[in-house]
């Protein structure tokens, strides 16, 4: 499995490796493999005629000459045929058929390495090594490579029965003794050749790694110079080309196994994977089984799916599964910028470029692309005219194809993670860490003419080697977790080996470099190392079984350091191969076919099926159905449950292959926490081939550590036969899930009984332990701890709408009311004090002046909630209710187990929405004035759902369940996830839907993931999604340098240095070396990275603005400056004097903060998440935009918890009553208050009517300042005063949303559960196109630059003057034509409804903004009801 720069673990030759079926005919046929087990020796015609007759029985007259694609007849029985699904099913039920499965495409898993593992050129060799034949199933071979020179070789061994498919461009020799190609569908890819010739490079690389001849002075353009050689350079190679430029099909892989076994190979090497976990639906497992039956060991790559556990791709117990580890060689590429700052890149560059201009990919989009796409430098996304001859900076790892095709001279990539391997690129490239990439980006934006130099790569010693590569797949086996997988590890990182002169080095046609050798990485590279080691053992012991060869490799492997490899044996198996020792192991653990049959019986395979597989009618499963721990494997592995005792007995038999007379003593090292007993502990042998049996008993209690290991060594003084002992806790993930069951049943019902019975049906007796919380007051469902299988069972049960993980949401972290024209003196409704706002947040600080209940009467009669009082918490007539929720019962050290706020966020949002007026509020004098909420007379009900580690779905849904039933009027929720979900897999969307059903509007923060498109996470159309914008106040920190120069930085700095100057030190000059930090780390001033002595009483200059200042604060520094050339549109608070800017000079600095007026406000802040709505689409077209509107969310002063500091950092000891913070968390409660204000005047209005009032009365923002237009600010900026008298509203009720959901593809069955209405039916109602949802806006998008037309149907309700006439005023920009019918709406009474149609024709050019917008305004002379119209061009619907 080869690894390259194109994708993290993709193949160097860039092929499409998706599971596509072979060419299908017009009758929906596709290629299936029909596996029939062992070929019958007494039936020479086990082939085409038999297979054709079987086809005719199921397909009758439809069987054509081309239906049977191939018959397997040389080594086992089966065939490949074009079948329909029905025919495949009929054949699967036919007598004599083991399995039928599609022929899928599989993936390739893609020298100092031999010297590194102690296997030098001068190692002892067997005289029969040249008789060993390695069969390599891969992309073919290039026989002209110097690695396959046959000088000194005699003719092929007499046992060889294969052939060479000679062609005009291909012939074999005495090194490459055989070669064939396989293409079952007959179609040869255009850029490939119809011969065994390797046009890709992968097959040549793997074959030369295993058995390449010695080639002196080999290198990759001078890199990795030395002697290139295979592990068994005298061995012969038989090449079987099963992989082409479009993948490797199962049918061809199995055909190659069929031939290779019959041809007489000794070892089969397969650096690719097959998908199925059923052994006999997996072509590699099938082929390897028959190879084992014929005395041939199959060596396979473990896979490139790491570093996660349970990702191993090849795991059949009769194969040798090989992980990949590093060697002591690494490659680095230096990037030097025009400011003389250098960075270490992780890549392999074969040439250098000097002092060339650098351009950011996001600034150079090609026609039809946006900067949001071109920033990643994908193929075709870059403008050639802008990047030609320059270095392109890219925001992610890319293959380099994008810059190459755009004629760039080089590339700088950002985002390298620890453990990623250096790889070749098609042009000079430096792959930087995310931090270094951030600094390089800052430099690019700091000067008009950024330049850079990329040097040719250099080689360095990797002192941490060997270490399992991050990409290497991990065990345990998904079928039998008690068998060690992978079996061992071998070098697979940065391997130099042969390469065809005709193949691109990086997979790109424009990469014209030619080299006889290439450096690539992957388990594809480790597999042939193990294949060679197996061949080396086989050359000394030609009669040994595959299991004996495998045992010798495993018991002599060198153990790796578990501290460097936390997954221990699950990542490296028995250890790293040691071929020179493996040839002489002393003892072997042998396994024969009968043992594997016994194992398969224990795993549920039937006697009948196994008789077909083995071709032995006497095979039968024993009564005890053999168990996997008793398979005679050279390792002892068992799984355990945490805190539960185990007592596992293993039975093993060893065969003496060392000294005839020998005595072995057992030396056991028990895994931590366990006891190991070996009986007998001494084994005495008197002859070679003698067998002795023993047992190993492992006893103990597993702790929480995933893997613990020990070992058993049998030692006779000459040989040490080592086997790992591994106890691990399997990854049975029991996670909190939400089981949503829709609306609550009518009448009284026992929720706990119902939910327990549902769980019992899926789980059995453990149901009561799994149930965590029942939702029953406002809707129906529960939270429970479930495994993956249990989730699947529940999701398929009657009455269940959805089952989804209880994910963790994040908090979306006052002059603001006056700024929007909503003064203290505005008109108030008498009912305002009856309005109850439900705040779902971090709790509240009840002692804050903002929550004083002076002048308040008792709670409204409608209130049904209560207060969870405790010794540290009580409610009052302002805070009329409070509860806390923590479904898993796990609290942090600083959490307060009550509704009290220990974070500050909840107090801040609550006071912003409904806080009382508090004069002279400020943060140490900053933001001074009157702090107040939008509806200061309203009541607050607190639902604490957020804690030290976030806000969990189970708790969010529980709070919704209570809040709806408690009688709140508005729900405010300033939290959200990192991604958007299906509406009914999202706790917030579910809760908001049931709130809407009960007449309650939910106000959500849009999210803080901007400014990228489609980053909004709270987007259900029945809730109000709120973006964040600035107010006319911002905080600057003046930075005065020792030379008198003054700069203005951005921060909220509450400290006064009295113009005292302090020395400056760069963080990179003060690393905490005792703590193990280097200058490369301390330059960013991260936690613990600074030397306290060096930074004390100094101002620290840091190279990153993303830090929180904690390292400098803890170190006792006097201040901190974070260099950043990006424009900052909001200020942050720090625990010490701080500013964010880029000082040009000066070695002494002073800091102080002040407040200024921001003349450009309001504009949408950069962090505010943008639309469009990524869920609601129709034919790949976005048709709802969201956010709905924007509100103040920057530098907001509001109440704070006195249980924490203003920065929430432990070393910040300040305590404040009010704090200044920013986020959509701050804008959301502004909109919440505005909604409550509207509700106080119009208590009977629906949630949709209130939302419409807010949206149609919002004032539009400038699209010159806000380039993302309505996708940034929705309908505009809230104007609470205008919203109470909107004139007309676009109303929508539950039935409208049901029609909308029908149009989105939700089923009648699901919607009946959601609504609780059994008469709901998508077949009976109009399936509402999303564009016709009665929404107060109009959006259309297109993926074409051609004109698009869309018709919208809307209905408005008169809530203004009884007798009124509204005229349509259309504002349309160039490229948009809007027709409204009728253009006049006449009303005779309040509540009257009128419908109209809007037809929009728009053409959107793929320009910088990709959108045009206008508006429809209904005007009666007094009231203007405004709705935006947006047309949007999307080059891609995937963000």
């Amino acid at each position: 499995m080869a690894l390259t720069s194109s994708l993290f673990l993709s193949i160097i030759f860039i092929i499409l490796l998706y599971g596509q079926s072979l060419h299908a005919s017009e009758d929906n046929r596709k290629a299936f493999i029909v596996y029939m087990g062992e070929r019958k020796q007494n039936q020479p015609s086990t082939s085409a005629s038999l297979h054709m007759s079987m086809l005719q029985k199921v397909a009758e007259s439809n069987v054509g000459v081309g239906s049977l694609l191939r018959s397997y007849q040389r080594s086992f029985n089966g065939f490949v045929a074009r079948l329909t699904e029905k025919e495949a099913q009929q054949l699967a039920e036919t007598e004599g058929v083991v399995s039928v499965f599609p022929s899928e495409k599989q993936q390739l898993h893609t020298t100092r390495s031999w010297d590194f593992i102690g296997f030098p050129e001068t190692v002892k060799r067997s005289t029969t090594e040249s008789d060993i034949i390695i069969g390599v199933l891969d992309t073919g071979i290039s026989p002209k490579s110097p690695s396959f020179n046959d000088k000194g070789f005699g003719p092929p061994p007499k046992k060889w029965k294969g052939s060479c498919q000679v062609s005009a461009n291909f012939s074999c020799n005495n090194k490459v003794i055989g070669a064939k190609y396989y293409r079952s569908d007959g179609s040869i890819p255009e850029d490939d050749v119809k011969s065994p010739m390797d046009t890709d490079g992968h097959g040549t690389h793997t074959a030369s790694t295993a058995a390449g001849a010695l080639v002196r002075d080999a290198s990759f353009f001078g890199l990795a110079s030395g002697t290139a050689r295979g592990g068994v350079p005298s061995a012969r190679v038989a090449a079987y080309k099963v992989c082409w430029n479009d993948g490797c099909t199962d049918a061809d892989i199995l055909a190659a196994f069929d031939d290779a076994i019959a041809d007489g190979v000794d070892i089969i090497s397969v650096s690719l994977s097959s998908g199925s976990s059923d052994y006999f639906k997996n072509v590699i497992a099938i082929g390897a089984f028959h190879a084992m039956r014929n005395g041939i060991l199959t060596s396979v790559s473990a896979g490139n799916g790491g570093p996660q556990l349970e990702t191993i791709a090849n795991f059949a117990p009769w194969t040798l599964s090989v992980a990949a580890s590093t060697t002591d060689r690494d490659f680095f590429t230096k990037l030097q910028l025009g400011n003389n700052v250098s960075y270490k890149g992780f890549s392999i560059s074969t040439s250098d470029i000097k002092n060339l201009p650098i351009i950011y990919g996001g600034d150079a989009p090609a026609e039809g692309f946006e900067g949001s796409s071109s920033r990643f430098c994908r193929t075709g996304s870059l403008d050639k005219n802008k990047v030609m001859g320059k270095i392109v900076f890219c925001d992610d790892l890319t293959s380099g194809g994008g810059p190459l095709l755009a004629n760039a001279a080089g590339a700088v990539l950002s985002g390298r993670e620890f453990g990623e391997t250096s790889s070749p690129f098609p042009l000079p490239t430096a792959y930087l860490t995310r931090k270094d990439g951030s600094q390089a980006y800052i430099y690019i934006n700091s000067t008009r003419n950024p330049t850079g130099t990329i040097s040719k790569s250099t080689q360095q010693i990797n002192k941490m080697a060997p270490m399992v590569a991050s990409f290497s797949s991990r065990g345990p086996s998904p079928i039998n977790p008690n068998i060690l997988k992978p079996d061992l590890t071998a070098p697979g990182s940065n391997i130099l080996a042969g390469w065809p002169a005709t193949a691109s080095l990086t997979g790109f046609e424009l990469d014209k470099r030619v080299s006889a050798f290439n450096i690539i990485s992957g388990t594809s590279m480790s597999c042939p190392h193990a294949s060679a080691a197996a061949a080396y053992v086989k050359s000394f012991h030609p009669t040994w079984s595959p299991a004996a060869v495998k045992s010798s490799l495993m018991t002599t492997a060198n153990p790796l350091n578990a501290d460097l490899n936390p997954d221990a044996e699950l990542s490296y198996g028995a250890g790293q191969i040691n071929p020179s020792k493996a040839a002489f192991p002393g003892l072997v653990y042998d396994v024969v076919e009968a043992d594997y049959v016994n194992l398969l019986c224990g795993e549920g395979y039937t006697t009948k099926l196994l008789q077909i597989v083995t071709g032995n009618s006497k095979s039968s499963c024993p009564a005890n159905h053999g168990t996997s721990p008793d398979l005679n494997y050279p390792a002892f592995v068992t799984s355990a449950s945490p805190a539960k005792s185990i007592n596992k007995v293993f039975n093993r038999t060893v065969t003496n292959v060392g000294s005839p007379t020998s005595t072995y003593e057992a030396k056991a090292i028990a895994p931590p926490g366990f006891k190991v007993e070996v009986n007998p502990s001494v084994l005495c042998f008197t002859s070679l081939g003698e067998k002795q049996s023993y047992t190993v008993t492992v006893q103990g209690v597993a702790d929480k550590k995933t893997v613990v290991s020990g070992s058993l060594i049998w030692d006779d003084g000459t040989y040490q036969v080592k086997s790992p002992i591994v106890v691990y806790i399997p990854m049975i993930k029991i996670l909190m899930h939400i089981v949503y069951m829709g609306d609550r049943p009518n009448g009284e019902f026992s929720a706990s009984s119902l939910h327990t019975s549902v769980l019992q049906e899926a789980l059995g007796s453990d149901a009561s332990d799994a149930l965590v919380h029942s939702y029953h007051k406002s809707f129906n469902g529960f939270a429970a701890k479930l495994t993956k299988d249990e989730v699947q069972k529940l999701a398929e049960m009657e009455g269940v709408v959805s089952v989804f993980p209880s994910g963790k949401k994040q908090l979306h972290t006052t002059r603001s009311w006056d700024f929007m024209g909503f003064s203290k003196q505005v008109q108030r409704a008498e009912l305002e004090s009856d309005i109850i706002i439900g705040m779902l947040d971090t709790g509240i600080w009840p002692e804050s002046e903002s929550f004083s209940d002076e002048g308040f009467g008792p709670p409204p009669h409608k209130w049904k909630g209560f207060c969870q009082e405790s010794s540290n918490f009580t409610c009052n007539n302002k805070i009329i209710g409070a509860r806390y929720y923590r479904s898993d019962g796990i609290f942090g050290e600083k959490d307060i187990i009550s509704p009290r706020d220990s974070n500050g966020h909840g107090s801040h949002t609550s006071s912003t929405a409904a806080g009382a007026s508090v004069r002279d509020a400020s943060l140490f004098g900053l933001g001074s004035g009157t702090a107040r909420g939008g509806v200061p007379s309203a009541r607050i009900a607190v639902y604490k759902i957020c804690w030290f580690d976030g806000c969990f779905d189970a708790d969010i849904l529980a709070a919704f369940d209570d809040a709806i039933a408690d009688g709140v009027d508005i729900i405010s929720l300033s939290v959200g996830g990192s991604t958007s979900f299906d509406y009914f897999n999202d706790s917030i969307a579910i809760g908001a839907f049931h709130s809407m059903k009960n007449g309650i509007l939910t106000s959500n923060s849009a999210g803080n993931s901007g400014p990228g498109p489609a980053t909004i996470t709270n987007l259900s159309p029945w809730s109000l999604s709120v973006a964040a914008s600035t107010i006319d106040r911002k905080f600057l920190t003046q930075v005065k340098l020792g030379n008198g120069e003054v700069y203005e930085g951005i921060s909220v700095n509450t400290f006064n240095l009295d113009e005292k100057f302090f020395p400056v030190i760069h963080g990179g000059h003060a690393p905490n070396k005792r703590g193990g930090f280097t200058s490369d780390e301390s330059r960013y001033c991260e936690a613990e990275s600074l030397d306290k002595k060096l930074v004390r009483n100094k101002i620290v200059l840091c190279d990153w603005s993303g830090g929180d200042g904690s390292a400098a604060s803890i170190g006792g520094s006097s201040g901190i400056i974070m260099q950043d050339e990006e424009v900052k549109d909001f200020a942050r608070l720090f625990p010490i004097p701080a500013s964010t800017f880029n000082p040009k000079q000066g070695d002494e600095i002073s800091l102080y903060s002040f407040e200024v007026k921001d003349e450009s406000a309001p504009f949408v802040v950069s962090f505010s998440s943008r639309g469009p709505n990524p869920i609601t689409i129709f034919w790949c077209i976005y048709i709802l935009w969201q956010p709905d509107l924007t509100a103040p969310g920057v530098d907001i002063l509001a109440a704070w918890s006195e249980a924490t500091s203003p920065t929430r950092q432990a070393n910040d000891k300040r305590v404040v009553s009010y704090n200044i913070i920013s986020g959509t968390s701050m804008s959301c409660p502004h909109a919440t208050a505005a909604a409550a204000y509207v509700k106080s005047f119009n208590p009977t209005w629906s949630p949709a009517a209130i939302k419409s009032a807010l949206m149609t009365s919002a004032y539009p923002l400038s699209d010159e300042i806000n380039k993302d237009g309505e996708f940034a600010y929705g309908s505009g900026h809230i104007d609470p005063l205008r919203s109470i008298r909107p004139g007309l509203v676009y109303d929508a009720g539950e039935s409208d949303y049901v029609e909308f959901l029908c149009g989105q593809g939700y089923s009648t069955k699901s919607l009946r559960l959601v609504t609780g209405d059994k008469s709901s039916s998508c077949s009976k109602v109009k399936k509402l196109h999303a564009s016709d949802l009665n929404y107060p806006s109009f959006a259309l998008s297109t993926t074409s630059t051609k004109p698009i037309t869309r018709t919208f149907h809307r209905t408005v309700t008169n809530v203004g003057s009884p007798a009124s006439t509204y005229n349509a005023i259309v504002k349309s920009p160039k490229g948009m034509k809007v027709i409204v019918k009728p253009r006049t709406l006449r009303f005779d009474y309040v509540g009257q409804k009128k419908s109209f149609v809007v037809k929009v024709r728009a053409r959107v050019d793929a320009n910088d903004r990709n959108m045009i917008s206008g508006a429809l305004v209904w005007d009666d002379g007094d009231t203007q009801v405004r709705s935006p119209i947006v047309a949007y061009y999307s080059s891609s619907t995937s963000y």
Side-chain angles (χ1 to χ4, degrees), residues 100-118:
V100 180
F101 53 96
S103 173
E104 305 285 1
K105 283 187 180 173
Q106 306 303 336
Q107 300 187 12
L108 290 160
H109 290 163
T110 286
T111 300
R112 180 168 160 70
S113 53
W114 290 113
D115 291 320
F116 173 67
I117 61 174

Side-chain angles (χ1 to χ4, degrees), residues 140-148 170 176 196-198 203-204 499-502:
I141 198 165
S142 177
K144 294 181 180 179
S145 166
S147 294
F148 306 121
F170 189 92
V176 181
M197 176 64 72
D198 182 10
T204 300
W499 201 258
T502 56

Side-chain angles (χ1 to χ4, degrees), residues 728-750:
Y728 73 94
I729 298 173
M731 288 179 61
I732 302 174
K733 294 182 180 177
I734 301 178
L735 301 175
M736 188 81 74
H737 281 75
I738 310 292
V739 181
Y740 173 52
M741 302 176 70
D743 202 35
R744 71 183 303 276
N746 293 325
E748 293 298 318
F749 78 104
S750 173

Side-chain angles (χ1 to χ4, degrees), residues 227-246:
T227 298
R229 62 186 174 93
V232 279
S234 300
R236 316 296 179 117
V237 176
Y240 300 86
K241 182 175 178 177
V242 297
C243 296
W244 303 75
N245 289 344
D246 59 351

Side-chain angles (χ1 to χ4, degrees), residues 115 401 507 646 651 985 1134 1295:
D115 291 320
I646 63 168
N651 299 285
N985 284 339
F1134 295 90
S1295 60

Side-chain angles (χ1 to χ4, degrees), residues 1238-1430:
V1238 174
K1239 183 89 171 178
S1240 71
F1241 283 91
N1242 306 286
T1244 61
W1245 279 12
S1246 70
I1250 295 172
K1251 175 176 175 177
S1252 171
L1254 293 170
M1255 291 176 68
T1256 60
S1257 62
Y1259 58 88
L1261 270 62
S1262 167
D1263 59 10
E1264 292 299 319
I1265 298 176
N1266 301 276
K1267 297 296 184 184
D1268 297 319
E1270 284 78 3
F1271 290 155
Y1273 52 71
S1275 293
H1277 197 284
I1278 57 167
D1279 187 344
L1281 257 182
R1282 289 186 59 212
S1283 63
I1284 60 172
R1285 297 181 182 86
L1288 304 174
V1289 293
Y1290 294 76
D1291 206 357
E1294 180 184 349
S1295 60
D1296 299 295
Y1297 294 119
V1298 168
E1299 291 182 8
F1300 160 79
L1301 291 167
C1302 286
Q1304 287 291 294
Y1306 289 86
S1307 67
T1308 294
K1309 182 178 178 182
S1310 291
L1311 293 175
R1312 283 180 176 176
L1313 293 171
V1314 169
T1315 62
D1317 182 359
K1318 294 183 179 179
S1319 64
S1320 292
S1321 172
C1322 287
S1323 61
K1324 292 181 181 178
V1325 301
K1326 175 185 176 185
K1327 291 185 179 179
L1328 200 66
H1329 188 294
S1331 63
D1332 284 336
L1333 181 64
N1334 203 37
Y1335 220 69
S1337 61
F1338 307 90
L1340 63 158
S1341 76
T1342 177
T1343 56
S1344 170
T1345 55
K1346 296 179 180 179
I1348 180 175
T1349 301
R1350 176 147 291 126
T1351 301
F1352 302 85
H1353 299 84
R1354 293 290 187 272
T1355 299
V1356 287
T1357 304
N1358 181 23
V1359 294
S1361 302
S1364 53
T1365 301
Y1366 286 85
N1367 293 309
I1369 300 173
V1370 173
K1371 299 177 181 179
S1372 55
K1374 181 182 177 182
M1376 178 184 287
K1377 183 179 179 181
V1378 179
I1379 299 173
V1380 182
K1381 291 185 178 180
R1383 294 188 64 87
T1384 300
L1385 300 177
R1386 291 183 174 86
F1387 296 92
D1388 301 316
Y1389 56 89
V1390 173
Q1392 185 177 6
K1393 298 179 183 293
K1394 293 281 186 177
S1395 297
F1396 62 94
V1397 175
V1398 177
K1399 188 174 183 179
V1400 181
R1401 178 179 172 85
R1403 177 172 181 168
V1404 188
D1405 294 327
N1407 52 30
D1408 289 340
R1409 292 185 65 236
N1410 292 332
M1411 65 186 299
I1412 54 175
S1413 58
L1416 167 63
V1417 180
W1418 289 107
D1419 191 342
D1420 73 344
D1422 292 320
T1423 307
Q1424 291 75 45
V1425 187
R1426 181 182 182 277
S1427 295
I1429 305 171
V1430 176

Side-chain angles (χ1 to χ4, degrees), residues 243-267:
C243 296
W244 303 75
N245 289 344
D246 59 351
C248 332
T249 65
D250 284 337
D252 299 333
I253 295 168
L254 206 50
F257 265 109
D258 189 28
D259 281 342
I261 296 167
D263 287 347
V265 303
D266 295 284
I267 303 291

Side-chain angles (χ1 to χ4, degrees), residues 704-779:
K704 293 182 179 179
K705 191 173 181 182
T706 305
V707 186
V708 291
S709 54
S711 63
L712 168 63
I713 300 175
W714 287 107
D715 191 343
D716 74 341
T718 302
Y719 302 107
Q720 291 77 43
V721 187
K722 183 177 181 180
S723 295
I725 302 172
V726 182
V727 181
Y728 73 94
I729 298 173
M731 288 179 61
I732 302 174
K733 294 182 180 177
I734 301 178
L735 301 175
M736 188 81 74
H737 281 75
I738 310 292
V739 181
Y740 173 52
M741 302 176 70
D743 202 35
R744 71 183 303 276
N746 293 325
E748 293 298 318
F749 78 104
S750 173
S752 59
S753 301
L754 170 64
H755 299 156
T756 300
S757 67
V758 170
L759 277 172
Q760 280 177 335
E761 189 175 338
L763 278 68
S765 59
D766 297 331
S768 58
D769 294 334
L771 183 64
V772 175
H773 187 92
S774 286
Y775 310 117
H776 58 92
K777 297 177 182 177
S778 308
F779 46 85

